[in-house]
Amino acid sequence: MTAADLVLAHSVTIPDFPKPGILFRDLTPVFSNADAFHAVIDEFAQHFAGQFDAVAGVEARGFLLSSALAYATHTPLIAVRKAGKLPGEVIREDYQLEYGTASLELRPGQLPAGSRVLILDDVLATGGSCNASARLIERAGYTVAGFGLVLELAGMTGRERLAGYPLHAIMSE
Ligand SMILES: O=P(O)(O)OC[C@H]1O[C@H](OP(=O)(O)OP(=O)(O)O)[C@H](O)[C@@H]1O
Ligand SMILES: Nc1ncnc2[nH]cnc12
C-alpha cells in the first residue's frame, strides 16, 4: 500500500467540528497506525531528500510529524507555536483559519542564517497556518525549503496561497 492509500484508510471525516458547517478531517488514526505513520514520514524524507537543513512543525499536529522527520533525518527541529506559549524573544504572525483566527510565534536565532527549513503540518485548508509559518521562517532569516502536508483539501485556497514554494501533499481530496 502507498502512503496515500494508508492515509485514506486511516483518516476520518467528522461533520460539524469544531463548529457547525465544518467537515473536520481527523488524521489522528494515521498516527496511531504504525504502518501509516512510517509511510508518511518515509515519503517526506524521500521527497525532500537533500533539500532541507532543518524541520519546522506547526502546533499542534505538525509537531507529531516534524519530530519524527527530524529524528529520522538527524536534522534540527524548530517549533512554530500558538501565541503565548514561548518565553523570551518571539516574532508573531496573525492569520485566519477555516474556523476562526489565530496567531503563531517563533523564537528567532535558533538556526544559522539562511538555513533551508521544511515546514510540516497535517492538513492544508485555507493555507493560513502554512503562510504565517513561512512568514515567520523568512523574518527569522531562514529560507523556506517547502511544505509537507499529509492531506490537502483541494477545494480550498491553500495551494494558491503558497504558490512559489515547493509543496508536497501525501494525499489530496
Ligand atoms: O490551512 P489552514 O486553514 O491554516 O488550516 C490548517 C491548520 O488547521 C489545523 O490546526 P488548528 O489551527 O486547528 O490547530 P491544532 O493543530 O492545534 O488543532 C491543522 O492542523 C492545520 O495546522
Ligand atoms: N476541515 C479541516 N479538518 C481538519 N483540520 C483543519 N484545519 C482547517 N480546516 C480543517
Side-chain angles (χ1 to χ4, degrees):
M1 264 189 159
T2 65
D5 292 335
L6 286 161
V7 170
L8 186 59
H10 293 283
S11 52
V12 187
T13 299
I14 316 262
D16 299 322
F17 181 87
K19 287 186 175 169
I22 302 292
L23 264 187
F24 189 82
R25 268 54 172 215
D26 179 20
L27 298 187
T28 47
V30 173
F31 297 104
S32 59
N33 180 278
D35 290 337
F37 190 28
H38 266 256
V40 163
I41 298 302
D42 290 349
E43 184 165 316
F44 286 143
Q46 280 158 20
H47 185 86
F48 290 105
Q51 296 175 41
F52 62 98
D53 306 309
V55 181
V58 185
E59 185 168 357
R61 290 168 261 158
F63 288 177
L64 303 170
L65 297 161
S66 57
S67 56
L69 184 66
Y71 184 86
T73 57
H74 203 100
T75 355
L77 169 65
I78 58 174
V80 178
R81 298 218 60 179
K82 295 276 164 64
K85 303 282 185 112
L86 284 171
E89 184 197 349
V90 292
I91 52 178
R92 173 179 172 143
E93 289 282 344
D94 301 320
Y95 64 102
Q96 301 265 323
L97 268 177
E98 198 185 354
Y99 35 75
T101 58
S103 304
L104 288 170
E105 292 180 344
L106 177 70
R107 182 186 300 127
Q110 300 178 86
L111 300 170
S115 293
R116 299 167 302 163
V117 181
L118 175 62
I119 299 172
L120 295 186
D121 205 353
D122 64 337
V123 174
L124 179 67
T126 67
S129 309
C130 281
N131 193 265
S133 301
R135 291 198 303 269
L136 290 170
I137 294 298
E138 289 170 350
R139 283 174 59 196
Y142 315 136
T143 63
V144 176
F147 296 95
L149 286 313
V150 179
L151 172 64
E152 172 185 6
L153 302 181
M156 302 194 68
T157 57
R159 195 173 272 266
E160 287 159 41
R161 288 187 68 184
L162 306 175
Y165 295 108
L167 189 157
H168 179 65
I170 306 264
M171 71 164 282
S172 180
E173 67 170 31

